[in-house]
Amino acid sequence: MRAGNQATAGELLELVRSGRATTRGALQQATGLSRATVGQRLDRLFRAGWLREGAGGPVDSPLGGRPSITLEFDDAHAVVLAADLDTRHGRAAVLTLTGEILAEQSGLLVIDEGPEAVLGELGRWFADLLVKAGKPAESVCGIGLAVPGPVDRDTGRVVQPPIMPGWDGYDIRGRLGRAFAQHTGTTPGVPVLVDNDANLMAYGEQRTGYPDCSAFALVKVSTGIGAGMVVGGTIYRGIDGGAGDIGHIRVGAEALCRCGSYGCLAAVASGGAVARRLAESGVPAASGSDVRDLLTSGHPEAMALAREAGRQVGDVLATVVTLLNPGVLMIAGDLAGTPFLTGVRELLYQRALPRSTAHLDVVTSRLGERAGLVGAGAQVVEYLYAPERVEERLAVLGV
């Protein structure tokens, strides 16, 4: 926060949104701005429709007087679209700026059909969802997309994704933006943000369930295996989006992975690997979601294989936990049930140093299949309402 007359309208909005200063007086104290300057900068935010006045707060002065009027971020002035893609399934939603889901849809979307077809269909889903939510297309301020592969954050393009054939380097932002515009009859230009699914699941879960956890890790075990990490409230991506790709750690097995290498963790312990072993024994299963259905029904062979897969993942997570020292380790995805979690705990606590696990909570997902949607929506909001971007957007609006 810049002091004196350097504090911007965007920085005032950040103070209100975070709850650190929610009255005019508190904003003056936090920034050192004069009453008049605070009023001028708040007026821009009111004219944009981004702020509203709430109920009166407690009286600031010990001498009494009228209660201060509180300021609130107005989450009704726009909506966010979010989608979460798995290898054979997609989920999309319309969300408020504070993360409430207004309308939701899920169904078959096969990654192998390629980005042109999949993103075109997502554009149609978004148009239908806006009608269902009763929101005009013009109210959409941004779109967030979670994909099952490593993403270069600067370009929004996936980089050598093992389970997304045909997507490497593809302009996802441009295609999804055009598809949205085509199906809603609007002009292209809505911001589109793309990130790895495990990253966005971790972000959604940490923000909603564990906001005080400064080192949070989530492992998604579905058709593949990936991890997302939130450190200090920010997604940790590494230098080019490759952080958390634990499914391709070598574990000494001879199984061929979809990445082309032998012995990857995903080749022996993912939902896809468990599905292959079940199919080899005559049980119909082709993907992580099929394994999830078998686990839900209590299928004994699926449960035994899931527990063994959990032990293999737990062995790798012992190293992850020793390196990151998280407060929460969350298991999510198709295999995230009791058998798999039991296996993870068996090997994790056996192999990791006691100091690394002394204050560790190993849990399962709270948001379930909505975690990626919530994280994608939250990332869009944080991007669009960051102080520097607020100034740019206010200038475009002419306020």
Side-chain angles (χ1 to χ4, degrees):
M1 175 64 63
R2 287 171 288 180
N5 290 333
Q6 298 303 305
T8 65
E11 288 166 330
L12 297 190
L13 182 64
E14 177 68 16
L15 288 168
V16 174
R17 287 185 61 232
S18 66
R20 285 178 286 162
T22 57
T23 66
R24 287 170 173 81
L27 289 170
Q28 287 177 244
Q29 279 191 319
T31 63
L33 295 174
S34 69
R35 180 187 179 111
T37 303
V38 167
Q40 290 167 358
R41 294 183 183 170
L42 290 179
D43 183 57
R44 297 177 68 200
L45 299 171
F46 279 115
R47 281 186 285 149
W50 298 352
L51 274 189
R52 65 186 174 206
E53 290 186 340
V59 176
D60 289 338
S61 169
L63 301 177
R66 290 183 298 176
S68 300
I69 299 298
T70 59
L71 302 169
E72 300 173 351
F73 180 59
D74 189 345
D75 69 337
H77 72 269
V79 294
V80 172
L81 296 173
D84 186 6
L85 298 179
D86 209 332
T87 52
R88 300 185 56 80
H89 182 269
R91 184 174 295 271
V94 182
L95 299 94
T96 68
L97 299 181
T98 48
E100 178 189 353
I101 292 179
L102 302 177
E104 187 177 4
Q105 177 175 338
S106 63
L108 187 68
L109 272 182
V110 181
I111 282 283
D112 285 2
E113 292 182 359
E116 189 75 19
V118 171
L119 298 174
E121 181 66 3
L122 264 186
R124 187 181 69 78
W125 283 20
F126 284 150
D128 292 344
L129 283 167
L130 286 170
V131 173
K132 185 177 177 181
K135 298 292 183 180
E138 292 74 18
S139 68
V140 175
C141 65
I143 299 172
L145 177 65
V147 297
V151 176
D152 183 319
R153 191 187 184 200
D154 292 336
T155 64
R157 298 171 189 248
V158 292
V159 182
Q160 300 177 352
I163 58 175
M164 298 178 70
W167 291 71
D168 185 20
Y170 185 85
D171 181 15
I172 296 174
R173 290 176 179 171
R175 174 65 180 121
L176 186 53
R178 291 191 300 273
F180 170 72
Q182 173 192 344
H183 287 283
T184 57
T186 56
T187 303
V190 172
V192 178
L193 273 66
V194 185
D195 207 336
N196 171 262
D197 55 356
N199 282 347
L200 292 178
M201 290 172 69
Y203 194 52
E205 295 277 10
Q206 188 270 340
R207 283 173 59 91
T208 56
Y210 303 89
D212 297 326
C213 181
S214 61
F216 178 96
L218 177 144
V219 178
K220 179 187 179 185
V221 187
S222 291
T223 298
I225 301 175
M229 295 166 287
V230 181
V231 179
T234 302
I235 296 172
Y236 180 75
R237 297 181 175 85
I239 60 170
D240 61 5
D245 205 2
I246 66 169
H248 301 286
I249 292 175
R250 304 291 176 84
V251 293
E254 293 301 317
L256 176 63
C257 182
R258 290 185 64 171
C259 74
S261 297
Y262 286 88
C264 293
L265 180 65
V268 297
S270 66
V274 172
R276 284 192 298 276
R277 292 183 65 182
L278 287 168
E280 289 167 0
S281 65
V283 179
S287 66
S289 58
D290 292 336
V291 177
R292 179 191 61 205
D293 294 340
L294 290 167
L295 292 172
T296 301
S297 68
H299 190 281
E301 189 173 354
M303 293 175 71
L305 288 173
R307 181 167 179 169
E308 177 56 30
R311 288 172 58 84
Q312 292 167 311
V313 172
D315 197 6
V316 169
L317 289 180
T319 301
V320 173
V321 165
T322 301
L323 178 66
L324 184 62
N325 190 210
V328 175
L329 173 63
M330 179 174 284
I331 308 299
D334 291 329
L335 265 60
T338 300
F340 186 87
L341 192 63
T342 299
V344 167
R345 285 177 167 149
E346 285 174 1
L347 262 289
L348 172 62
Y349 288 106
Q350 178 183 327
R351 298 290 169 82
L353 291 171
R355 185 183 181 284
S356 300
T357 57
H359 301 101
L360 175 69
D361 288 331
V362 182
V363 301
T364 53
S365 171
R366 290 187 175 191
L367 296 175
E369 294 183 338
R370 290 178 164 178
L373 296 178
V374 172
Q379 187 181 57
V380 169
V381 173
E382 292 307 311
Y383 172 81
L384 291 176
Y385 294 92
E388 65 277 9
R389 210 145 288 108
V390 164
E391 293 303 312
E392 296 171 6
R393 297 176 65 206
L394 289 174
V396 170
L397 291 172
V399 299

